């Protein structure tokens, strides 16, 4: 089985060390309404992300999965430039974000007249098999998202993702909010007949409760501790302890690590109304090399072996895309 990257298919063995949930460019829906005062500068986005890719290469990262959804908004042309200039494999998404922060309005109108999940699935399948618009880039995975509970709209997105997965074999990566929705997501995937070996439930590190992590793992899914370094949501020390404990309990082969970093914002930058010093403290480790430079040594101190590190950073991402259990 080959894996779609923005420059074409590669063999799974070429993925190497992989960050499974990052964002080169991201935006909140409606950013284009402010385009007059804050236009998108792709040249600046390229410059910023070339530095990010350089940092990634310095710590041995071979592949970056950009988890920006269609309504996020993706920039496949930028990804192609980055991959050509740096040699890093970049995998692009097809998918839709949450109802309250995504472009739900377009689809909600269609629910009045038709089974919208079939229309969504048709779009996902086309972008995986034929390519995204006129970019020539084929999506390599499907991104879906929910709030703290899954709305009816989001259930349609999840159903569409499973339909597309069955048709194409593409993996599904999720966004979760709050401390518990991953369990509901897992149950919905089971109900719809998804291939659990090709589903990663994301952002489980939003919760400090290891029993929550185990509840998803025990259902047979991958989990992503994929907001490491993002102290607004995640406490690294607690994550390190939970990851180490899960590895000791035999769950290593279902865990992946990443940052959910956003390197460049379309529209006006996102700001947080806290003192600048605190803001810098909370986000100082939210960068592409934090897992490799800081988290991995801490995990080793906590008793995680080199082999287990390789499993989480190399083997598990590859197996997610190939479906190997």
């Amino acid at each position: 089985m080959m894996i779609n990257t923005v420059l074409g298919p590669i063999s799974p063995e070429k993925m190497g060390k992989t960050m499974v949930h990052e964002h080169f460019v991201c935006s909140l829906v409606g950013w284009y309404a402010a385009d007059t005062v804050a236009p998108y500068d792709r040249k600046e986005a390229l410059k910023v992300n070339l530095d990010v890719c350089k940092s990634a290469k310095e710590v041995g990262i071979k592949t970056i999965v950009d988890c920006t959804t269609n309504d996020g908004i993706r920039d496949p042309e930028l990804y192609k430039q980055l991959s050509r200039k740096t040699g890093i494999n970049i995998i692009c998404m097809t998918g839709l974000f949450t109802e309250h922060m995504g472009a739900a309005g377009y689809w909600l109108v269609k629910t009045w007249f038709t089974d919208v999940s079939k229309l969504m699935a048709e779009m996902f399948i086309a972008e995986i098999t034929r390519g995204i618009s006129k970019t020539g880039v084929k999506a390599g995975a499907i991104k879906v998202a929910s709030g703290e509970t899954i709305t009816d709209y989001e259930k349609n997105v999840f159903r569409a993702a499973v339909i597309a997965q069955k048709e194409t074999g593409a993996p599904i990566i999720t966004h979760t909010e709050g401390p518990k929705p991953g369990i509901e997501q897992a149950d919905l995937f089971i109900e719809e007949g998804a291939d659990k070996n090709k589903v990663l439930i994301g952002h489980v590190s939003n919760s400090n409760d290891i029993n929550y992590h185990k509840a998803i793992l025990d259902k047979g899914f991958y989990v992503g501790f994929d907001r490491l370094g993002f102290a607004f949501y995640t406490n690294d020390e607690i994550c390190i302890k939970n990851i180490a404990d899960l590895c000791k309990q035999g769950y290593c082969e279902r865990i992946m690590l990443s940052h959910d970093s956003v390197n460049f914002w379309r529209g006006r930058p996102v700001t947080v109304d806290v003192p600048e010093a605190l803001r810098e403290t909370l986000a100082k480790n939210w960068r592409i090399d934090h897992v490799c430079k800081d988290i991995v040594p801490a995990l080793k101190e906590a008793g995680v072996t080199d082999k287990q590190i390789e499993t989480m950073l190399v083997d598990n991402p590859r197996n997610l895309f190939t479906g190997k259990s």
Side-chain angles (χ1 to χ4, degrees):
M1 177 181 179
M2 302 295 279
I3 296 167
N4 286 343
T5 75
V6 297
L7 296 184
I10 63 169
S11 66
E13 291 72 24
K14 291 186 178 180
M15 285 183 68
K17 189 183 294 183
T18 300
M19 292 293 108
V20 292
H21 197 127
E22 310 292 346
H23 302 273
F24 289 111
V25 174
C26 200
S27 58
L28 301 176
V29 170
W31 72 271
Y32 35 80
D35 188 58
T36 299
V37 294
Y40 176 45
D41 187 343
R42 183 180 281 152
K43 289 184 178 179
E44 182 63 20
L46 178 63
K47 178 181 177 181
V48 168
N49 280 294
L50 283 173
D51 287 340
V52 170
C53 289
K54 178 181 178 182
S55 296
K57 291 184 71 174
E58 287 174 352
V59 294
I61 294 169
K62 301 290 186 183
T63 300
I64 297 175
V65 182
D66 187 289
C67 280
T68 310
T69 55
N70 303 27
D71 50 353
I73 297 169
R74 310 163 300 187
D75 189 349
E77 295 289 358
L78 173 71
Y79 309 155
K80 286 195 293 186
Q81 291 183 63
L82 287 169
S83 190
R84 287 194 186 107
K85 289 177 178 292
T86 66
I88 284 185
N89 302 316
I90 297 174
I91 297 172
C92 179
M93 290 286 140
T94 185
L96 294 167
F97 205 51
T98 61
E99 179 172 359
H100 70 287
M101 293 187 72
Y106 172 82
W107 300 100
L108 286 171
V109 171
K110 295 184 181 299
T111 64
W112 302 344
F113 310 104
T114 188
D115 181 353
V116 74
S117 62
K118 292 183 179 179
L119 296 181
M120 293 172 174
E122 180 182 326
M123 177 180 70
F124 298 160
I125 292 166
E127 293 194 333
I128 294 165
T129 60
R130 300 203 305 267
I132 298 168
S133 188
K134 298 179 181 179
T135 65
V137 172
K138 292 181 180 180
I142 307 162
K143 166 78 172 289
V144 298
S146 76
E148 293 192 33
T149 60
I150 307 177
T151 68
D152 288 342
Y153 166 79
E154 290 161 358
K155 287 178 181 178
N156 278 321
V157 178
F158 277 62
R159 291 187 186 104
V162 176
I163 292 169
Q165 183 193 70
K166 291 177 180 178
E167 177 72 20
T168 67
I172 300 170
I173 297 174
T174 83
H175 163 100
T176 59
E177 294 177 8
K180 295 295 181 184
I183 296 172
E184 186 182 3
Q185 289 187 358
D187 288 340
L188 180 56
F189 282 127
I190 292 170
E191 180 182 335
E192 296 297 325
D195 182 349
K196 293 185 284 187
N197 291 321
K198 287 191 172 186
V199 176
L200 168 61
I201 305 292
H203 305 340
V204 302
S205 44
N206 289 352
S207 171
N208 295 331
D209 183 2
I210 194 171
N211 291 318
Y212 167 65
H213 309 147
K214 290 169 68 173
I216 301 170
L217 289 162
D218 286 340
K219 292 177 185 291
F221 294 89
Y222 288 103
V223 299
F225 284 83
D226 48 20
R227 279 182 160 171
L228 295 166
F230 195 15
F232 287 101
Y233 286 105
T234 297
N235 182 301
D236 278 353
E237 288 71 25
I238 294 174
C239 286
I240 289 163
K241 181 181 184 305
N242 285 343
I243 294 166
D245 287 346
L246 289 169
C247 286
K248 292 171 185 175
Q249 294 176 43
Y251 292 102
C252 175
E253 293 182 355
R254 289 284 164 172
I255 298 171
M256 291 182 234
L257 313 177
S258 205
H259 311 90
D260 194 25
S261 61
V262 178
N263 306 321
F264 192 90
W265 289 95
R266 294 190 193 222
R268 294 183 183 274
V270 174
T271 58
V272 180
D273 189 18
V274 297
E276 183 177 353
L278 176 59
R279 183 162 62 248
E280 290 179 356
T281 298
L282 290 172
K284 69 177 180 178
N285 291 322
W286 199 34
R287 61 182 200 277
I288 197 68
D289 59 0
H290 176 57
V291 164
C292 296
K293 282 188 172 181
D294 305 317
I295 299 297
V296 166
L299 286 172
K300 290 182 179 180
E301 286 186 12
V304 179
T305 67
D306 288 337
K307 176 57 180 171
Q308 289 172 325
I309 298 293
E310 183 177 3
T311 295
M312 291 185 284
L313 292 179
V314 179
D315 298 340
N316 292 348
R318 182 185 66 242
N319 292 341
L320 172 69
F321 279 81
T322 62
K324 181 180 177 181
S325 60

